[in-house]
Amino acid sequence: MTLQDSPFLRACRGLPVSHTPVWFMRQAGRSLPEYRRVRADVPMLEACSRPDMITEITLQPVRRHGVDAAIFFSDIVVPLRAVGIDLDIKPGVGPVVAEPIRDAPGLKRLREIEPGDLPYVTEAVGQLVGELGDTPLIGFAGAPFTLASYLIEGGPSKNHEHTKALMYGEPELWDELMRRLAAITLGFLRTQVEAGASAVQLFDSWVGALSAEDYRSSVLPYTSWIFGQLAEYDVPRIHFGVGTGELLGLLGEAGADVVGVDWRVPLDEAVRRVGPGKTLQGNLDPATLFAPWEVVAGRTRDILSRGRAAEGHVFNLGHGVLPSTDPDMLTRLTAYVHEQTAG
């Protein structure tokens, strides 16, 4: 089998597959004891800048679970740090920005990303492509709205009040901020693809906080621009957001080949909302993995059945693996999806 014939890349393109491919968001992370050993005394952003550590952590779930794709180990704020934004990832909190950006002078701190800003990404992707062989590597980045939310709020936020106030009240400033963030995001994704990543996923973790009308006017143009710029590389483009049931049609409209679906919308309904021409990814509730195996298996069969309505289906969770998940459950789930869909 060649890389391009891998079930994951074929499913992303809506082509027939030997089995439904599986990978898990946050598969390389705290649920794995080997990850905790490697990361024991290393801060997150340092781990994301060491090619040897990026390579090892990215490979861990492929070795353990036998998933059909690896996802590049990094964080959505890495490109912001690379262009000089003073931020840190605080355990138990998340990304924290020293000086939030809420005005035109602050905006000037956001410069364009340059090739020399991310040498560790290029090196790590090169190492991974060599190690993975015919297993695809997914590159990833945070989408402009989610990055904007961290920059404006100064950290994670439940209500995104500062973000929405700027978006509603200062549309010209919002436009310039989103343009700059779209260019940074594109640069981060391009670096990964040009180094050898064979698919990309754009995470818009917080965009579910918006109405469809606000998404269409204030987010869609920038996301569409990123996906349009990536078209020249001919790699599958995946788009995912949390709480985006009301936005699924717009997420598809943004230009991705694959639309990720969280656990709140059944896949057959998601097919109707997204429309034709797209593969769907998802969508087992991550909390299900704490229930008895019979429950996990039953819900997995239901998702696989509903997923047949899509032109292609990549099995995944409806969000990331929770840190206290039993890794053996993920290994068993991967094998089960493969068994149920083989032939």
Side-chain angles (χ1 to χ4, degrees):
M1 181 181 75
T2 66
L3 178 64
Q4 292 305 318
D5 282 330
S6 65
F8 170 75
L9 291 178
R10 287 182 65 85
C12 286
R13 295 187 164 108
L15 299 172
V17 290
S18 56
H19 62 260
T20 297
V22 186
W23 72 278
F24 304 110
M25 289 180 279
R26 291 194 194 135
Q27 65 187 17
R30 289 169 291 174
S31 65
L32 299 181
E34 55 267 43
Y35 170 85
R36 294 195 293 272
R37 282 195 296 272
V38 169
R39 274 277 329 274
D41 301 310
V42 183
M44 179 65 176
L45 285 172
E46 183 184 335
C48 293
S49 64
R50 288 173 49 176
D52 58 333
M53 196 167 279
I54 295 169
T55 300
E56 170 58 23
I57 292 171
T58 301
L59 290 171
Q60 285 174 349
V62 180
R63 293 191 202 112
R64 180 186 272 263
H65 304 313
V67 286
D68 294 282
I71 184 160
F72 188 71
F73 175 73
S74 188
D75 190 272
I76 63 170
V77 299
V78 164
L80 298 180
R81 184 91 177 282
V83 300
I85 298 298
D86 184 1
L87 57 81
D88 197 10
I89 298 175
K90 297 196 173 175
V93 178
V96 176
V97 179
E99 294 180 65
I101 291 177
R102 297 176 185 169
D103 54 26
L107 206 58
K108 290 175 182 170
R109 306 206 309 269
L110 273 180
R111 65 169 176 81
E112 283 199 20
I113 210 158
E114 296 166 4
D117 291 328
L118 300 163
Y120 46 90
V121 172
T122 301
E123 185 178 340
V125 172
Q127 289 177 9
L128 282 163
V129 170
E131 292 272 355
L132 285 164
D134 57 15
T135 299
L137 175 66
I138 305 167
F140 92 99
F145 176 81
T146 293
L147 296 180
S149 177
Y150 280 119
L151 285 173
I152 296 167
E153 304 292 339
S157 171
K158 286 186 178 178
N159 300 312
H160 311 280
E161 58 267 37
H162 296 293
T163 307
K164 289 184 177 183
L166 194 150
M167 185 177 78
Y168 297 148
E170 299 190 63
E172 290 181 5
L173 186 62
W174 176 259
D175 175 65
E176 182 59 28
L177 173 61
M178 292 292 277
R179 284 177 187 275
R180 291 186 184 219
L181 289 173
I184 289 168
T185 297
L186 177 64
F188 190 47
L189 291 172
R190 270 188 169 148
T191 298
Q192 294 170 73
V193 173
E194 289 177 0
S198 46
V200 291
Q201 175 156 312
L202 191 64
F203 285 86
D204 216 344
S205 308
W206 302 129
V207 81
L210 297 181
S211 69
E213 185 179 340
D214 287 339
Y215 179 88
R216 180 179 290 283
S217 63
S218 301
V219 176
L220 180 63
Y222 312 98
T223 307
S224 295
W225 179 80
I226 292 168
F227 285 131
Q229 294 295 308
L230 291 169
E232 66 179 286
Y233 295 105
D234 194 30
V235 298
R237 299 156 295 175
I238 310 168
H239 197 16
F240 174 75
V242 185
T244 50
E246 296 301 316
L247 305 178
L248 283 173
L250 291 165
L251 293 187
E253 202 177 303
D257 307 291
V258 183
V259 176
V261 183
D262 75 10
W263 66 92
R264 296 171 178 88
V265 179
L267 283 185
D268 48 355
E269 170 60 16
V271 170
R272 189 187 68 77
R273 295 187 190 186
V274 170
K278 306 289 181 184
T279 288
L280 295 191
Q281 179 175 280
N283 67 336
L284 184 70
D285 185 340
T288 307
L289 296 170
F290 294 83
W293 170 250
E294 294 72 27
V295 175
V296 176
R299 291 192 169 226
T300 298
R301 288 194 301 273
D302 182 62
I303 287 166
L304 292 170
S305 175
R306 294 175 186 273
R308 290 192 195 103
E311 293 179 30
H313 178 211
V314 175
F315 188 90
N316 206 315
L317 304 181
H319 197 198
V321 175
L322 297 169
S324 53
T325 303
D326 178 356
D328 289 343
M329 189 65 92
L330 291 170
T331 306
R332 189 174 183 182
L333 176 57
T334 304
Y336 188 72
V337 172
H338 289 167
E339 290 162 10
Q340 290 291 306
T341 58

